[in-house]
Amino acid sequence: MTKMLHWCKQQLLDLMATIVFYTAIPLPYIKNLEFARVACFAPLVGLMMGGILGLLDTTFNYLSLPVLTRSALVVIIWIFITGGLHLDGAMDTADGLAVTNPERRLQVMADSATGAFGAMSAIAIVILKITALTDMPENRYLVLMAACGWGRWGQQVAICRYPYLKPTGKGAFHKQAIRSVGDLFPSLLLLLGLSSVIWFINPQNLVLSVGMILAGSAIATLTPAWFNHKLGGHTGDTYGAVVEWTEALFLCVLTSFN
């Protein structure tokens, strides 16, 4: 019993550390938090974020806000909740990919200044998310949860399958948390469970449920593979880019199933 209580306490502390690391959600000060395993809990925190966004979207709908305004507010709050962490990574990655000399790409990505390609990338992601949500009149809270979850599962795939290009980079420690394909299964089962719940609640949502699984798993696998193909590996910035582009593309594809 003591070991079980200790294990539960450690899992809760790891979850709190993940929230602190990946979001701007205010939490009471917790002493001696360890961040070594935050990547393991990222999809779970993504589902929590999606639930918060879904609740806010439902509230905006109750207040009779037009769907476009609701979608824009949700995306803005989405960025705020993450503290812009992943969007900043997507912008830095775009600036790096714009450099024709592969040897200079990591140097450009490390530069805090945002270039034209980074700005265009952020605009494209935000527009895709807003327009895709606008085209989804139903099941928006479920889709938001799935988008946030699959986006972070894509990050786990990137951590697991591809080399980290900067051994001393801020994201290098994630490789110690997710070392094998087996480490991807708990979060994958969690996301499959979400789709099953959607079908269980309403059997008419079978197409949406299957679409979430197919689109989420495919996009979350192919997006990190594409960045690896372009850069030969990943960095903390590309982890953020994987999250943002997986979320945006997932929402776009789901408009066909909604």
Side-chain angles (χ1 to χ4, degrees), residues 42-44 46-47 50 144-154 187 191 247:
L44 175 58
L47 292 181
L144 283 165
M145 291 179 66
C148 292
W150 282 112
R152 284 148 187 81
W153 191 74
S187 297
L191 293 167
E247 290 175 343

Side-chain angles (χ1 to χ4, degrees), residues 229-249:
H229 171 70
K230 300 298 290 186
L231 293 168
H234 279 267
T235 69
D237 287 327
T238 62
Y239 291 161
V242 167
V243 172
E244 288 290 343
W245 281 109
T246 300
E247 290 175 343
L249 295 174

Side-chain angles (χ1 to χ4, degrees), residues 57 66-72 74-75 126-141 143-144 208 248-258:
D57 181 69
V67 64
L68 179 58
T69 303
R70 283 164 51 201
S71 300
V74 166
V75 172
V126 170
I127 289 177
L128 286 175
K129 287 185 176 181
I130 291 175
T131 53
L133 282 174
T134 303
D135 288 335
M136 275 186 242
E138 300 177 352
N139 302 306
R140 287 163 62 98
Y141 72 99
V143 172
L144 283 165
L208 175 63
L249 295 174
F250 176 83
L251 290 176
C252 290
V253 173
L254 261 289
T255 58
S256 299
F257 294 92
N258 207 295

Side-chain angles (χ1 to χ4, degrees), residues 32-217:
N32 298 326
L33 278 182
E34 296 288 339
F35 297 96
R37 300 185 66 243
V38 294
C40 298
F41 291 82
L44 175 58
V45 170
L47 292 181
M48 295 169 57
M49 288 173 49
I52 293 171
L53 294 172
L55 179 61
L56 290 171
D57 181 69
T58 302
T59 302
F60 295 149
N61 185 40
Y62 181 78
L63 296 174
S64 300
L65 290 181
V67 64
L68 179 58
T69 303
R70 283 164 51 201
S71 300
L73 285 172
V74 166
V75 172
I76 290 171
I77 295 171
W78 197 341
I79 297 171
F80 176 78
I81 289 177
T82 63
L85 175 68
H86 305 305
L87 190 60
D88 180 67
M91 294 166 68
D92 289 339
T93 300
D95 283 333
L97 290 174
V99 177
T100 56
N101 183 358
E103 296 180 359
R104 291 195 59 244
R105 284 177 175 170
L106 294 182
Q107 180 182 352
V108 171
M109 289 166 63
D111 191 343
S112 59
T114 301
F117 286 91
M120 288 188 287
S121 174
I123 292 171
I125 290 170
V126 170
I127 289 177
L128 286 175
K129 287 185 176 181
I130 291 175
T131 53
L133 282 174
T134 303
D135 288 335
M136 275 186 242
E138 300 177 352
N139 302 306
R140 287 163 62 98
Y141 72 99
L142 297 173
V143 172
L144 283 165
M145 291 179 66
C148 292
W150 282 112
R152 284 148 187 81
W153 191 74
Q155 176 186 331
Q156 288 189 329
V157 172
I159 295 169
C160 174
R161 295 195 59 191
Y162 305 111
Y164 193 81
L165 296 176
K166 298 162 62 177
T168 58
K170 295 180 179 179
F173 69 95
H174 292 316
K175 298 290 288 185
Q176 301 302 316
I178 301 178
R179 302 183 181 185
S180 67
V181 174
D183 294 327
L184 302 177
F185 284 124
S187 297
L188 178 60
L189 292 175
L190 183 66
L191 293 167
L192 294 179
L194 172 64
S195 294
S196 299
V197 168
I198 292 171
W199 173 76
F200 181 78
I201 293 175
N202 185 357
Q204 294 182 350
N205 284 336
L206 177 61
V207 173
L208 175 63
S209 178
V210 173
M212 282 184 175
I213 294 173
L214 295 177
S217 58

